[in-house]
Amino acid sequence: MRISFCCTDTKAEPWLQGLRAALPDASVELWSAGAPPADHAVVWAPPQAFFDEQPQLKGVFNIGAGVDALLKLRLPPLATVVRLDDAGMSVQMAEYVCHAVIRHFREFGGYEADVKAGKWSYRKPRARAAFPVGVMGLGVLGERVAKALAQFEFPVLGWSRSSKAIAGVRSFAGAAQLADFLAATKVLVCLLPLTPDTRDILRFDTLSQLQPGGYVINVARGSHLVDEDLIALIDSGHLAGATLDVFRTEPLPLDHPFWQHPKITVTPHTSARTLRDESIAQIADKIMALARGQPIAGIVEPVRGY
Ligand code: NDP
Ligand code: OXD
């Protein structure tokens, strides 16, 4: 079996070594133009030329959970596209989102500023019941995040395409229930895949439906959010602020207003990193399962976009 590795912005050698160790009977090579045809590909942001040369691929394994960039390409017609299915990302996402929610709810940013100014001061405790957290997207990552938030006794709501039964999470489903979900939410967490249906979903008319003093945490993709609408709603006082990990252009351009906005916290697309060892183990297991004709999790449906 031949496996081609084609990942931009990724140090290839440790991945190649790991894949070779996990799949000793396979030939695993770094792709270069004109390379012989492979059976499977392990990719992140590959160029179109890669797929144009590899029309016979059976499996395309994305080393991330989001496949929005991959699905923009012309893919081999018979290839099964597979995304990372957790692989150590959900616990990181739960840490990041709980940290952002709690930092906002407990006003730790204000305490940090006070302490820097040599001020010993208390803020009035806030009622947890007044901070319902709504998670958009209750998939592999969103479900883990929603359950983690529920452990801190926040009221937790979730919105997805199909309705869910998750203990401690009030489920809303589909476009018909979006307005009810938003109206019941104060802290909004976006963990949707980027698809034609979800692009720009965090915009003026949706964000203005959040409860007054709302807060936005976007850890999915930058193109879910209309940047200027968020800033307008924060500056008007309807929203209290935002924590953003993903941006329309990455790295976030230095002149972007998000960098300096006092009520916006930015991080460099780091909320849930791809973990190499976990990912290699998952991909190798799935390649072997496919070879045995067994079903695997994490298969992308290109038509629905995730
Ligand atoms: P999943 O595919 O497991 O979950 C997607 C969820 O979104 C599902 O619950 C799905 O509903 C819901 N959904 C999809 N489309 C719609 C829609 N139109 N309306 C309502 N709900 C919708 O994805 P993951 O949880 O694994 O990952 C989510 C995203 O997180 C990724 O696509 C990626 O963009 C981002 N990500 C960001 C990272 C970072 O470091 N910032 C790291 C990893 C991922 P249903 O369950 O009904 O199908
Ligand atoms: C992913 C990401 O999609 O890191 O996995 O954003």
Side-chain angles (χ1 to χ4, degrees):
M1 178 195 306
R2 216 174 252 283
I3 297 172
S4 189
F5 182 84
C6 182
C7 298
T8 7
D9 296 337
T10 307
K11 241 195 223 158
E13 202 44 47
W15 282 88
L16 293 170
Q17 279 175 16
L19 285 163
R20 284 173 188 144
L23 295 162
D25 295 333
S27 148
V28 185
E29 296 302 334
L30 181 62
W31 177 73
S32 60
D39 302 292
H40 297 289
V42 176
V43 301
W44 182 255
Q48 181 61 52
F50 172 71
F51 289 121
D52 289 347
E53 281 192 8
Q54 300 278 338
Q56 72 299 2
L57 286 169
K58 294 197 271 279
V60 174
F61 292 83
N62 187 51
I63 62 165
V67 288
D68 42 292
L70 192 56
L71 295 185
K72 283 189 199 145
L73 302 174
R74 275 187 317 281
L75 298 174
L78 299 177
T80 299
V81 178
V82 187
R83 39 59 70 80
L84 281 184
D85 184 13
D86 195 337
M89 280 192 279
S90 74
V91 66
Q92 299 177 65
M93 201 51 104
E95 282 165 354
Y96 182 101
V97 173
C98 288
H99 174 266
V101 171
I102 291 167
R103 186 170 192 274
H104 172 60
F105 170 65
R106 294 288 305 274
E107 301 183 85
F108 286 136
Y111 280 113
E112 278 163 23
D114 288 351
V115 167
K116 268 201 191 114
K119 201 160 120 199
W120 182 275
S121 68
Y122 292 108
R123 284 148 205 269
K124 196 162 166 258
R126 294 158 137 187
R128 210 168 289 268
F131 279 79
V133 186
V135 181
M136 301 179 99
L138 286 176
V140 174
L141 303 182
E143 177 172 351
R144 176 81 182 247
V145 164
K147 285 178 173 164
L149 288 163
Q151 289 289 312
F152 289 102
E153 299 178 17
F154 290 103
V156 181
L157 307 83
W159 182 69
S160 42
R161 278 204 330 168
S162 50
S163 79
K164 310 280 175 201
I166 304 172
V169 180
R170 196 173 149 205
S171 165
F172 294 77
Q177 292 186 357
L178 178 59
D180 290 344
F181 165 80
L182 293 170
T185 293
K186 186 148 186 173
V187 180
L188 184 69
V189 178
C190 181
L191 266 167
L192 291 166
L194 182 64
T195 70
D197 289 339
T198 66
R199 180 175 292 276
D200 298 334
I201 195 163
L202 307 177
R203 58 178 182 269
F204 198 89
D205 71 295
T206 49
L207 296 179
S208 27
Q209 293 174 58
L210 295 175
Q211 295 181 357
Y215 194 83
V216 174
I217 298 170
N218 187 17
V219 278
R221 285 291 182 264
S223 296
H224 285 122
L225 175 68
V226 179
D227 298 358
E228 50 280 19
D229 290 0
L230 175 74
I231 290 176
L233 284 162
I234 294 176
D235 291 348
S236 73
H238 180 66
L239 297 180
T243 292
L244 307 174
D245 185 50
V246 287
F247 305 94
R248 283 180 182 258
T249 305
E250 296 182 1
L252 181 63
L254 279 177
D255 59 354
H256 195 289
F258 285 163
W259 282 107
Q260 302 301 336
H261 199 291
K263 294 183 176 165
I264 296 178
T265 300
V266 302
T267 53
H269 198 142
T270 197
S271 50
R273 304 290 296 273
T274 292
L275 302 179
R276 192 172 54 233
D277 292 350
E278 284 82 342
S279 305
I280 287 172
Q282 184 175 107
I283 291 168
D285 282 353
K286 288 183 179 180
I287 288 176
M288 290 186 291
L290 285 179
R292 291 190 296 264
Q294 290 169 342
I296 57 167
I299 293 182
V300 172
E301 289 178 33
V303 174
R304 68 175 192 177
Y306 68 100

